[in-house]
Amino acid sequence: MHLKPIYTETNDCKDCYKCIRECPTKAIKVSDNRASVVDSLCIYCGHCVAICPTGAKKVRDGISRAKLLLKEKKEVYVSLAPSYVAEYGIDSQNLLSKLNALGFTGVSETAIGAQEVSRQVANYLNVRQSGVYISSACPVVVELIRKYYPQHTMAITPYMSPMLTHARMLRQWYGQEIGVVFIGPCIGKKSEADYSDLVDVSLTFQELNDWIKSEKINTQTDKQISFSPYPAREGVIYPLDGGMVETIRRENKNDESTFMSFTGQNMVRNVLDNLDELGHDKPLFLELLSCETGCLNGPGMSAKSAVASKYLQVRNSFCQRQNSCETDRKEEQAVNIERDFFNIETVEKEPFGAEQIKEALHSIGKNSVADELNCSGCGYDTCRDFAHALLSGNAETAMCVSYMRMVAHHKATILLQKIPSGVVIVDENCKVVEMNASFARLMGNETELCYEANPVMRGADMSKLSSFAKLFKTAIHTGKEYYELPVQENNRNLQLSIFNIQKHKLVTGIIQSAQQPQFRQDIVEKRTKEVIKKNMETVQKIAFLLGENASFTDSLLNSILDAQNNEHA
């Protein structure tokens, strides 16, 4: 079994959930804080590869397989996708020379196969009276329909894609024993090639660039190389949004047909969601492309910018081909490119009941509709979608940011309350952010009564609670830390340590009575380390997703531990 076209390098995955947020089919499973691609749900659009911030999502390498094919086969031909113009420019000589140097027998344009597809689709539409017909050219859209919109599978025109059509033509021309390597901008073509005996290997343009670079090929030659067996003409416009429609219109003799084109996953899904409303009066042909702006923006392109420039290059190439007088064409035999699209299992959504969803929501602290923030921090659009993923085994409770933030806060609060010393956190305005009961007790009866009425004392003015508030102000202003300072409050002799959590913004004070027996450092250290160990993973996750504010708990816990060690060093 071949490695699937898209996979995860788990050691590189940083559980940011961006792939889930961006995946149109949520074909991602999180296990042990690592996201992997679920092949049965994936449509191979390659978007996760493009947006993964750590590069953990990988495309299966086809270079080694192509090299092996060149060794095993006497003749190996390249089927070059028409979007090569957007990658390498209109002048094809440099590219053809490099492919020749890599050892390929010849290079032929996939656009020739596109022309044949357009011709047969046009004939097909000419005899239709009504109905909706969807292009089979984009393998990602075909995969999407077959897996998620099986009710529309019959609407896919019953013909091979340009890649498979061209491969069949190449084998008719040069023999069934040749090798065929497709090179283009699409990752989905790798999956399409896997399930066909017409294409041996599918490479992206990025892979080709890497291969050429590794071979250090020198292409300075006067030798003129031509496309085999002849250059394509109108098929070169296929990469553009509406390019296929434009070629079909040239062949279509039935003016009753309507043609539309849509690109991008959101637009394509919107069309498929409302397909039943269309095509009742006359034939409607839909050119649906997964990538926005068409194949110019495919995930296998080396650059995703300058779309307008790429568009112009393809359009200019098309105009040049139309104005050429090329007539030296190989006499073509009839090519049978008919096929069906029923050899794949559809994705059935598991029917979880309301009680199951409710229990899953409870597991992440969502006990009412008001608790369902639908923040998408986990990657799913709604809390209920996330609950469904939990029940399906594709998600973990730790993915819920609001839940883990609540857990982290509760852990920190418990730690503060369990520490025998008084602990207070003060902000840049010398206002209390949080304090524990021990601190309130050491400040006197009045403060203790206020604490009982308003636990934590958030917002209280330190200058009204203690006589040593100026030490906190100095620490905030200067960033200086203090250890074991002798202070007095309510005729009590105390020891105060002040240290930074966020310099000039947040400081923590630890205070204890000088009359108390020696502080049990070993107990505090053990408790603190235990809480830090359990809390570290949660805090790191929240810090990654929410930024600086979420890492506050981690800083606090470690700072408290350091302060205790310094006090008793």
Side-chain angles (χ1 to χ4, degrees), residues 330-388:
K330 190 179 185 71
E331 185 177 343
E332 298 178 11
Q333 302 172 351
V335 183
N336 180 12
I337 61 170
E338 293 182 0
R339 64 162 296 184
D340 61 56
F341 298 93
F342 296 101
N343 59 334
I344 193 170
E345 290 187 14
T346 60
V347 175
E348 300 291 344
K349 194 170 183 179
E350 298 177 67
F352 297 115
E355 280 302 313
Q356 291 175 292
I357 296 293
K358 186 177 180 180
E359 288 178 14
L361 288 170
H362 285 177
S363 73
I364 51 174
K366 312 295 182 184
N367 300 313
S368 68
V369 175
D371 294 330
E372 297 177 28
L373 302 178
N374 299 328
C375 66
S376 297
C378 61
Y380 292 89
D381 295 331
T382 68
C383 293
R384 290 182 177 269
D385 287 342
F386 177 55
H388 194 283

Side-chain angles (χ1 to χ4, degrees), residues 239-392:
L240 303 184
D241 177 8
M244 183 180 185
V245 165
E246 192 166 338
T247 60
I248 292 176
R249 283 182 180 276
R250 292 168 173 265
E251 301 282 349
N252 186 254
K253 303 299 188 294
N254 183 357
D255 292 335
E256 294 299 315
S257 297
T258 301
F259 298 88
M260 295 182 182
S261 62
F262 299 93
T263 67
Q265 277 289 325
N266 290 337
M267 191 67 75
V268 167
R269 292 172 75 90
N270 181 283
V271 171
L272 294 175
D273 285 337
N274 300 281
L275 205 60
D276 292 335
E277 305 170 8
L278 308 173
H280 298 302
D281 300 327
K282 56 184 178 180
L284 170 63
F285 179 80
L286 297 174
E287 178 189 352
L288 304 181
L289 299 175
S290 173
C291 297
E292 292 185 6
T293 71
C295 303
L296 300 180
N297 231 11
M301 302 287 284
S302 62
K304 307 300 185 293
S305 58
V307 175
S309 176
K310 292 178 181 179
Y311 185 100
L312 190 60
Q313 285 182 304
V314 173
R315 177 59 69 177
N316 288 341
S317 175
F318 172 72
C319 292
Q320 285 184 13
R321 301 289 181 99
Q322 296 309 296
N323 294 330
S324 70
C325 298
E326 176 63 58
T327 57
D328 182 21
R329 295 197 174 196
K330 190 179 185 71
E331 185 177 343
E332 298 178 11
Q333 302 172 351
V335 183
N336 180 12
I337 61 170
E338 293 182 0
R339 64 162 296 184
D340 61 56
F341 298 93
F342 296 101
N343 59 334
I344 193 170
E345 290 187 14
T346 60
V347 175
E348 300 291 344
K349 194 170 183 179
E350 298 177 67
F352 297 115
E355 280 302 313
Q356 291 175 292
I357 296 293
K358 186 177 180 180
E359 288 178 14
L361 288 170
H362 285 177
S363 73
I364 51 174
K366 312 295 182 184
N367 300 313
S368 68
V369 175
D371 294 330
E372 297 177 28
L373 302 178
N374 299 328
C375 66
S376 297
C378 61
Y380 292 89
D381 295 331
T382 68
C383 293
R384 290 182 177 269
D385 287 342
F386 177 55
H388 194 283
L390 283 173
L391 294 169
S392 299

